[in-house]
Amino acid sequence: MLAVMAVSAYAKVNIVPYPQEVVEKEGCFKLAGAPLRCVGQLDERSAALVERFAGELSQATGKSSKVVNGKAGKGINFIYDQTLAPESYVLNVGTKSIEIKASSLRGFNWAVQSLKQMMPVEIYAGKSAKEVEWTVGCCQINDAPRFGYRGLLIDEARHFFGMETIKDVLDVM
């Protein structure tokens, strides 16, 4: 019985890697045409991330999602919160709005990636999918990277990449 409950907890919020804290709620948020709001002092790169996400959302849903600056309101709110650690975020999905709180570009990026994983898979198609029900289930997610470092395994013995590719990967890291 307990195993069934644990599996069902992963069914609604199916994100990889699974967030540190998830609280599921009733209801859903309708994404199509929702405005994106920048609240607080988002840096230039974070604002560009919001613009790019608005473009992806507009293209996928077939309805324009505009980016506005100002106070939080209905729609998707990107809120600068300096009390959060650099890569952590809080994602709160309600029936009327979504709040994404972070203190840096990386926090906003992880939150957007989590939100996209909760959306229909057509968000990754790069084309309009008007027939899809563009909703996200209500929940609250508090997350941060588990480790302060990243690792990468490149197995040159099994798959040859070449020196230039390896240099490019190391530059990106």
Side-chain angles (χ1 to χ4, degrees):
M1 178 75 124
L2 185 60
V4 173
M5 290 171 57
V7 171
S8 66
Y10 288 89
K12 187 174 181 184
V13 178
N14 192 12
I15 298 174
V16 175
Y18 198 74
Q20 291 179 354
E21 183 181 337
V22 176
V23 177
E24 294 183 13
K25 302 175 184 177
E26 293 296 319
C28 62
F29 177 79
K30 295 182 181 179
L31 294 160
L36 284 78
R37 301 177 188 278
C38 295
V39 181
Q41 300 176 4
L42 266 64
D43 60 60
E44 186 177 315
R45 293 172 62 198
S46 296
L49 172 79
V50 174
E51 287 283 347
R52 189 169 49 251
F53 180 56
E56 292 173 359
L57 192 58
S58 296
Q59 182 180 29
T61 63
K63 292 187 177 180
S64 178
S65 292
K66 299 187 189 261
V67 177
V68 294
N69 294 318
K71 294 182 178 181
K74 290 184 178 180
I76 304 172
N77 300 292
F78 288 81
I79 303 169
Y80 174 76
D81 185 350
Q82 67 184 11
T83 62
L84 295 172
E87 292 190 49
S88 65
Y89 67 90
V90 176
L91 174 63
N92 191 3
V93 180
T95 56
K96 295 188 188 306
S97 68
I98 295 176
E99 284 187 353
I100 297 174
K101 292 182 182 180
S103 65
S104 68
L105 170 65
R106 289 185 176 179
F108 285 117
N109 183 49
W110 300 138
V112 167
Q113 296 309 314
S114 294
L115 183 59
K116 285 172 72 174
Q117 288 185 54
M118 294 168 56
M119 294 180 185
V121 72
E122 286 82 4
I123 190 70
Y124 299 104
K127 60 183 180 179
S128 180
K130 295 177 185 177
E131 69 283 353
V132 173
E133 185 178 345
W134 287 98
T135 60
V136 174
C138 293
C139 66
Q140 180 169 344
I141 298 173
N142 295 319
D143 197 20
R146 186 172 168 198
F147 301 106
Y149 58 88
R150 304 288 186 269
L152 177 67
L153 172 66
I154 301 174
D155 190 351
E156 279 286 306
R158 295 179 190 202
H159 183 83
F160 184 72
F161 294 101
M163 188 182 307
E164 290 305 313
T165 303
I166 300 300
K167 286 180 180 180
D168 291 341
V169 169
L170 292 174
D171 287 340
V172 170
M173 288 179 62

